[in-house]
Amino acid sequence: MAAIQGQAAPYPVRLPTRVHAVSHFLARQTTYRQRFLAMGTEVLMTVAADRRSKAAVEQAMNSARHLLIDFGREAWAWGEGALAQLNRRQAAGQVVNIPPSLHGLFAKAWEIHRSSGGLFEPRVAALVRLWGFDDPARLRSAPPDAGEIAALRAALAVAPDYDGGPQYGPAPQTGWDFGALGKGYIVDRAIDSLRAAGFGDVSIDTGGHVATRGTRDNRPWRTGLRDPFEQGEQAYVLASLQAGDASVVTHGDDQRGFEFEGRRYSHLLDPASGWPVQGMRALTVVHADGALADAAGAALFVAGRERWPALARELGLNRVLALHADGSACATRTLARELSWKRSIALTVVD
């Protein structure tokens, strides 16, 4: 079964936006940046374009920004958006109508669910909320009651498959959570909107998910991978790479969680047991399809140290890096050749 990744609470609709433009005379480009809050995180959107295109760039970036903000509200599993309302009816045992605006997201989620052999599981909102991973303000200090976990796991086990239609259910005591898929899905669409407006040199960083297209100043974008073994306020880079036209998605056990009696409980849950995954620190997938990179990364994280390479091959993923709890690492041969390490690490390479 798959990892369950909760999504932090969305920010209010009125959000502070900072817009910066940096001119590069020799490259005859200007780097336009917007920082804003969406999908529970700070987003950095960067576009490199001719400096004479300022008004058009800002208009295109504003449209992409609102796309991300609106998605964070409507596709959040809790709150008052469209998905949250659907989940409340589903949890009560009703057959629910899927809003047309979310139909593509449901279809994509189920496609990956099937192609991963069920290892990616999007119908886990009830378990995520039980653990308190739906909202940082509700984060627990100890695991929930084992009986409550078992009850929700049993409800998930008998929930019907999604047939691709406009309705789903009944599936009481369950709900849909796209925290391990949504960023990849909507960031790709935001980039598509920028490219359709004529701006193809783009980077969008949503924290743990960086998508790039084109170049900046005629040079490839470079993405850094945070070092999960370095604790503290300062973020350390473990390695970097030039991803090309792709998304770089990292799932880590240090992104949200708590410690209890000397054990770490992270937001990455195994729905086969309803408990957090153990043994992995972080897993990164690089792929042109951001939604696949996001969801497949969650599935590979749950598959664990011994099983993820085989699953990656089944899914056609050849750019993967796994960091284990003992401090070692394992990477596919393709990605291993692309990484520039900032410190030494015990690395195993797999095909």
Side-chain angles (χ1 to χ4, degrees):
M1 291 271 186
I4 308 166
Q5 180 171 343
Q7 183 176 348
Y11 289 86
V13 175
R14 292 183 177 273
L15 302 177
T17 302
R18 298 193 295 275
V19 182
H20 302 284
V22 181
S23 179
H24 300 278
F25 178 76
L26 293 178
R28 295 186 178 179
Q29 274 192 323
T30 296
T31 301
Y32 298 88
R33 299 188 181 95
Q34 288 192 5
R35 292 183 183 272
F36 53 95
L37 300 173
M39 301 178 291
T41 192
E42 183 178 78
V43 178
L44 172 60
M45 179 163 50
T46 307
V47 174
D50 190 302
R51 57 185 174 179
R52 293 171 296 181
S53 304
K54 180 179 179 180
V57 172
E58 291 185 351
Q59 181 179 355
M61 294 179 75
N62 290 340
S63 295
R65 183 179 81 244
H66 287 300
L67 182 66
L68 296 173
I69 293 172
D70 292 346
F71 180 87
R73 179 180 62 251
E74 295 302 311
W76 188 47
W78 303 275
E80 298 301 325
L83 183 60
Q85 295 180 41
L86 178 152
N87 277 341
R88 283 193 286 272
R89 295 192 296 272
Q90 179 175 311
Q94 300 178 27
V95 175
V96 295
N97 295 315
I98 299 172
S101 61
L102 297 180
H103 191 270
L105 185 61
F106 274 75
K108 185 67 173 182
W110 202 252
E111 173 193 342
I112 299 173
H113 172 83
R114 292 173 64 90
S115 65
S116 66
L119 286 172
F120 171 68
E121 174 56 80
R123 302 166 298 173
V124 291
L127 274 168
V128 172
R129 184 165 179 81
L130 177 64
W131 277 90
F133 294 136
D134 58 310
D135 187 338
R138 297 185 60 256
L139 192 63
R140 304 177 66 103
S141 58
D145 179 77
E148 293 182 275
I149 297 173
L152 293 183
R153 178 64 193 89
L156 179 60
V158 298
D161 289 349
Y162 173 55
D163 63 7
Q167 293 183 322
Y168 178 74
Q173 293 186 282
T174 67
W176 293 75
D177 175 19
F178 299 120
L181 172 79
K183 284 183 181 179
Y185 177 86
I186 197 61
V187 165
D188 277 1
R189 278 146 188 79
I191 289 179
D192 287 344
S193 74
L194 289 165
R195 300 181 81 180
F199 305 108
D201 297 323
V202 181
S203 170
I204 299 182
D205 183 345
T206 60
H209 184 124
V210 181
T212 58
R213 303 291 190 275
T215 62
R216 178 171 56 180
D217 300 335
N218 296 315
R219 292 176 294 180
W221 300 90
R222 180 164 287 276
T223 301
L225 305 181
R226 193 175 63 82
D227 191 339
F229 300 106
E230 294 288 350
Q231 302 299 318
E233 296 182 1
Q234 181 177 351
Y236 293 88
V237 174
L238 176 64
S240 66
L241 76 153
Q242 295 174 348
D245 290 352
S247 291
V248 181
V249 182
T250 298
H251 294 280
D253 77 345
D254 62 333
Q255 294 172 353
R256 195 179 314 118
F258 62 89
E259 290 190 7
F260 177 70
E261 295 182 346
R263 189 172 189 177
R264 175 74 178 171
Y265 294 89
S266 82
H267 68 292
L268 290 155
L269 306 181
D270 179 356
S273 66
W275 288 76
V277 177
Q278 302 290 331
M280 299 280 283
R281 290 304 308 272
L283 188 139
T284 297
V285 175
V286 183
H287 197 274
D289 183 336
L292 176 60
D294 212 345
L300 295 177
F301 198 102
V302 164
R305 181 171 185 165
E306 301 300 325
R307 294 189 297 149
W308 77 255
L311 177 59
R313 287 192 293 271
E314 290 179 17
L315 295 175
L317 304 174
N318 66 351
R319 302 170 81 187
V320 182
L321 169 67
L323 303 177
H324 310 134
D326 63 6
S328 64
C330 180
T332 56
R333 191 170 303 279
T334 297
L335 187 58
R337 289 195 295 259
E338 299 174 329
L339 292 171
S340 296
W341 296 94
K342 304 304 179 182
R343 68 170 176 84
S344 61
I345 191 168
L347 178 67
T348 301
V349 177
V350 296
D351 292 314

